[in-house]
Amino acid sequence: MRNPLEDGFGQARAVADAVLFEGYVLYPYRASSAKNQLRWQFGVLVPPGWAATGGEHAVQRTEVLLEPRAGDRLHAELRFLHVRRRTVEQLGSDGRYTEVAELELPDRVLVPWDEGHEERVLIHAPFDELTEPQAVARVVKFDLPPATEREPVTDSEGRTVGRLVRHRERLSGELRPLVEELPGPYRVLRLTVAVHNTTDADVADRTEALAHSMIGTHLLLGVPGGRFLSMTDPPEWARPAVAECRNDHTWPVLAGPPGAEEIMLSSPIILEDHPALADESPGPLYDATEIDEILSLRTAALTEREKREARGTDARAAEVVDLVDSMPQAVRERLHGAIRGLREVTGEPGPEEFAPAGPVPARAGPGLAAAGAGSGAADPYPAPEPGFPPAATGLTLPDGPGHPWWDPAQDPAAEEEVPAAVVVDGRTVRAGSRVLLTPGARRSDAQDEFLFGRRATVEAVVGDFDGETHLAVVVDDDPGTDLRRAQGRFLYFRPDEVAPLEEEAP
């Protein structure tokens, strides 16, 4: 059945690809790099037998709320990577193939590597078939049997010099959807979709388990004519029901442009509603822990031997090398950054305001090969078309001596004194006070959630330039406390995010 939201799913996949392939291959994009020895960190669903001993998970559960309105059907798409173990064999003079550690070619050095092959499982079902007890009949089971593929390797003259052998292990799973109507004055449905790895595999370690695992597992959910509710910023009337939803090892957000409500992306990485790829990004670099500009410059500085090994490591690594090697200076300058928050102040138009009336040229994205030298493919960096913005030039600082970017002597707010203590729950809190950390679910940083319920010591009461007061703290039993104090690198919480304790500082 055709998905009427396919165009919207396509836009969501562009963002989801950044999740699916995050960490797939890290700079310097070579299999021999230490950074690429421990892979597959996000959205990994391992076989149940390994989950019991390895500390990882076999189930991912998504639970969201939606107003069906005119919608009466669910379109769901499960996406994940399945590992294919690749070995390299060289053809000998006797016509036999021998497994080797590397095979040198003029343009690349082929080495053993674990490739990730994208898999998809689809559901198209009306809501009345997804309610109990009918939902049991709509469980989608899939089984990917073991397989071996062989790909010949030829030299520049077309002669066979070896082959790549790819092994795939068995991977079985289930997709279990369920729809429940909630009581109340509003017609609201709770949609639950559980993804299970059901593979019966006897594995000895994580390396073996990964061959039977779903990697980068995420869901695209769509209801044509319906409206999903934001799980991070729901309407006030829906907050109690949202709080009761249980999401295990995933984070559902609204997908598509701002205002779109028919599609939800359930991601193993924390995102905000309506996530989007940066307009300045020229293509996938697979290493979001680094800055695109730095990655591009470092990749361009690789030696020719290193680039050949990167090209032989994986097709996606080869795309990154070719992308950087062919990157024009104007595109490189755009990677220097953009401060979008200033557009309302400066009046600078955003990229959407430059859009011409005609079709928008496609951007290179995850899974799209950038043209390399001699590839014969289209130029990934065509000349800017009329109506599109020029490369970002950055902010202009004040001219002349004696004009710093910010002068506290000229800022009246800098003269405001910060109190030495604050009152929390009727008790005075100051430097040396002991507190219990209670960050809120709405305002705190995602990492703060890991600190909920921990005891801490207040180091200082500080203020910011918006007039807000904060408590600088160090967490008990943090082995880096002495270093934090020496460098002044504290954790900061608002007074209403802590609870005073009777205890003395340790």
Side-chain angles (χ1 to χ4, degrees):
M1 177 179 181
R2 183 184 180 277
N3 182 358
L5 296 176
E6 181 56 37
D7 290 344
F9 269 42
Q11 295 177 13
R13 286 190 201 104
V15 174
D17 282 347
V19 175
L20 186 65
F21 293 106
E22 171 54 31
Y24 178 82
V25 55
L26 302 175
Y27 171 86
Y29 303 111
R30 305 192 309 273
S32 60
S33 170
K35 291 173 65 176
N36 287 313
Q37 302 308 304
L38 181 62
R39 301 169 66 207
W40 319 121
Q41 304 301 312
F42 302 104
V44 179
L45 298 185
V46 298
W50 178 249
T53 57
E56 295 187 87
H57 313 286
V59 180
Q60 183 186 85
R61 174 191 173 99
T62 297
E63 199 163 81
V64 296
L65 302 182
L66 67 99
E67 293 180 281
R69 296 185 176 180
D72 62 356
R73 179 177 291 271
L74 171 68
H75 298 271
E77 180 176 292
L78 168 67
R79 303 173 78 221
F80 59 89
L81 296 179
H82 188 189
V83 170
R84 295 187 177 183
R85 294 254 150 86
R86 186 188 75 195
T87 56
V88 182
E89 295 182 353
Q90 186 171 16
L91 179 62
S93 56
D94 58 357
R96 296 184 178 181
Y97 288 92
T98 304
E99 186 172 330
V100 294
E102 64 178 34
L103 180 60
E104 292 243 12
L105 297 172
D107 61 336
R108 62 195 190 280
V109 180
L110 295 173
V111 293
W113 178 250
D114 283 357
E115 299 176 345
H117 180 74
E118 180 185 338
E119 303 285 358
R120 298 185 187 183
V121 181
L122 306 179
I123 291 180
H124 305 287
F127 288 150
D128 56 9
E129 294 183 10
L130 301 180
T131 57
E132 291 183 332
Q134 295 93 332
V136 176
R138 292 309 304 241
V139 172
V140 177
K141 299 182 179 182
F142 57 92
D143 180 61
L144 304 174
T148 300
E149 300 175 355
R150 293 174 176 84
E151 177 188 346
V153 175
T154 57
D155 61 14
S156 57
E157 297 180 1
R159 296 174 299 188
T160 300
V161 295
R163 66 185 181 186
L164 300 177
V165 182
R166 296 180 175 89
H167 302 278
R168 184 184 76 184
E169 300 294 342
R170 180 176 296 278
L171 173 56
S172 303
E174 292 182 359
L175 199 56
R176 304 176 186 175
L178 176 65
V179 170
E180 304 168 273
E181 185 163 352
L182 301 183
Y186 303 97
R187 185 170 182 237
V188 176
L189 304 181
R190 179 167 55 213
L191 169 64
T192 304
V193 182
V195 182
H196 292 252
N197 185 332
T198 60
T199 310
D200 183 11
D202 184 16
V203 297
D205 54 31
R206 189 173 190 265
T207 299
E208 292 184 11
L210 287 173
H212 302 275
S213 299
M214 298 180 233
I215 297 169
T217 311
H218 62 275
L219 283 166
L220 294 175
L221 307 172
V223 177
R227 176 201 180 199
F228 282 100
L229 303 183
S230 170
M231 301 299 287
T232 56
D233 190 18
E236 193 64 35
W237 59 266
R239 290 184 184 278
V242 167
E244 293 178 357
C245 289
R246 190 182 114 210
N247 287 280
D248 297 332
H249 320 303
T250 189
W251 185 273
V253 296
L254 296 173
E261 298 173 316
E262 292 182 312
I263 299 175
M264 185 76 83
L265 166 62
S266 187
S267 157
I269 295 178
I270 295 176
L271 301 170
E272 62 183 358
D273 281 335
H274 308 292
L277 300 177
D279 296 288
E280 295 79 13
S281 178
L285 298 177
Y286 308 111
D287 195 346
T289 59
E290 300 286 355
I291 299 171
D292 282 12
E293 181 182 30
I294 295 176
L295 277 175
S296 299
L297 293 173
R298 285 183 169 182
T299 302
L302 293 175
T303 66
E304 287 306 311
R305 162 72 190 192
E306 291 172 330
K307 290 181 179 179
R308 287 173 59 227
E309 185 182 339
R311 289 189 176 99
T313 294
D314 192 276
R316 294 184 176 89
E319 291 171 10
V320 172
V321 173
D322 292 339
L323 181 77
V324 171
D325 279 354
S326 59
M327 187 179 293
Q329 184 60 31
V331 175
R332 205 181 299 275
E333 288 177 358
R334 283 209 305 267
L335 296 181
H336 196 60
I339 306 178
R340 295 176 179 83
L342 290 181
R343 285 175 178 156
E344 293 182 3
V345 178
T346 63
E348 177 190 353
E352 67 281 355
E353 297 179 51
F354 282 102
V360 178
R363 282 177 49 214
L368 297 178
S375 67
D379 183 359
Y381 303 111
E385 296 196 4
F388 275 85
T393 56
L395 296 174
T396 302
L397 300 181
D399 295 327
H403 291 84
W405 179 240
W406 173 72
D407 184 357
Q410 303 298 323
D411 188 349
E415 299 178 1
E416 297 181 6
E417 293 187 4
V418 178
V422 295
V423 177
V424 180
D425 295 337
R427 298 177 56 187
T428 301
V429 174
R430 55 168 53 89
S433 296
R434 302 273 290 121
V435 295
L436 186 73
L437 302 180
T438 59
R442 279 282 295 115
R443 192 175 60 219
S444 61
D445 183 276
Q447 294 189 28
D448 291 347
E449 295 301 309
F450 295 105
L451 301 175
F452 189 93
R454 298 289 298 274
R455 286 171 163 76
T457 301
V458 176
E459 296 294 312
V461 180
V462 299
D464 60 26
F465 295 114
D466 294 323
E468 298 284 349
T469 300
H470 305 267
L471 302 176
V473 307
V474 291
V475 179
D476 293 0
D477 303 324
D478 181 353
T481 292
D482 292 341
L483 185 61
R484 287 183 179 275
R485 283 175 171 149
Q487 297 181 347
R489 299 175 67 87
F490 304 119
L491 301 174
Y492 296 90
F493 294 88
R494 292 186 179 181
D496 62 354
E497 293 182 309
V498 305
L501 295 173
E502 298 277 356
E503 310 163 10
E504 297 292 331

